[in-house]
Amino acid sequence: MQVVTSIKKMQDIVRELKRTQQTVAFVPTMGALHKGHGRLMERGKQNADVCVVSNFVNAKQFNDAEDLKNYPRNPERDKEFSEAHDVDYYFAPADDEMYPPGFLTSVNVGFLSSRLEGEFRPGHFRGVCTVVLKLLHIIQPTHLVMGLKDAQQFVIIQHMLTDLCMDIKMIGVPTMRDRDGLALSSRNALLSDEDRQKALCISRALKRVHFLVKKQGILHSGELLQAIRSAIGTAGVELEYAEIVNKTTLEPIDHVVRGGTFVLIAVRIGGIRLIDNTRI
Ligand code: AMP
């Protein structure tokens, strides 16, 4: 695995990959890598000749300075982890390499960015889209591998690729969970043991929705959301939002449409923000 920190060097490598007609899968991350990221790397390797992973904690997508300061970082372990997953190039630019003085451009994907996460984290998706587009320009992958754990992010990036006629195939990887159901997340490392136990109410609530839809035929969003609120509330966890939305437009829907629906949840536990979702 080659570790690259300079954009210029990465561009030289990309030129050579193009010259030799190799397909490239790109996995953008913010480090503190876990098995969920590992799954993305595996999917990258399965789908292309070469897998490039980036590790960049993108300050522009944090609307809360404390959150950025506390975000878990483990660069040495991340390199070993990526190497063990057969990654070919590990791109870890410094902040001022990505955003030199005078950097002005930002990318905004309209109303999709202002709802849900965007409502609670203003400017978040502008930061995400700006960094992802910049990374795509540097790496010029044939495939972009992202997790469905961040469902809204996935929809927005997919929309950006379409709007900007970018010929990149997006691969969505289902959420990887711990054995007890908690969705793997870099932020889980910040949870106390007690809060981690409490966090299990999120996957429990999503499971309950599946049960109600599949076994009891309940499709009415209001009823399903009530079940979520009660599962989260009884666990003593602060619910930021729970929504049932069309999986493409992210607009709330009155009734679940099987095959076309996301159920999205965001909570706060002991100051840590966690999100999760399920597709129905
Ligand atoms: P992050 O480092 O949190 O920005 O995540 C980098 C990529 O990994 C994103 O595409 C995430 O959606 C994806 N990801 C994070 N957690 C998981 C998970 N538990 N399962 C699958 N993909 C994940």
Side-chain angles (χ1 to χ4, degrees), residues 28-31 34 36-37 40 61 71 145-150 153 173-177 183-186:
T29 83
M30 296 207 301
H34 52 66
H37 296 113
L40 270 59
Q61 71 187 66
Y71 197 80
V145 190
M146 296 187 85
L148 294 166
K149 153 94 170 27
D150 298 280
Q153 169 174 279
V173 179
T175 302
M176 195 162 176
R177 296 176 182 280
L184 297 182
S185 163
S186 304

Side-chain angles (χ1 to χ4, degrees), residues 7 26 91 96-100 103 107 128-140 160:
I7 293 177
F26 173 45
F91 181 49
D96 58 355
E97 178 74 357
M98 283 296 275
Y99 300 126
F103 185 94
V107 184
V128 170
C129 291
T130 303
V131 79
V132 170
L133 188 60
K134 179 153 183 163
L135 289 166
L136 292 175
H137 278 301
I138 296 166
I139 292 156
Q140 299 182 39
M160 178 182 82

Side-chain angles (χ1 to χ4, degrees), residues 8-25:
K8 165 91 181 44
K9 175 78 189 157
M10 196 65 232
Q11 287 172 319
D12 289 342
I13 292 166
V14 167
R15 213 170 293 115
E16 185 57 18
L17 292 172
K18 286 216 173 297
R19 197 186 64 75
T20 51
Q21 297 189 348
Q22 303 200 60
T23 54
V24 175

Side-chain angles (χ1 to χ4, degrees), residues 225-246:
L225 289 172
Q226 194 43 50
I228 292 177
R229 282 189 208 105
S230 123
I232 305 278
T234 31
V237 166
E238 180 195 340
L239 181 66
E240 273 199 348
Y241 65 78
E243 287 207 36
I244 297 183
V245 301
N246 174 291

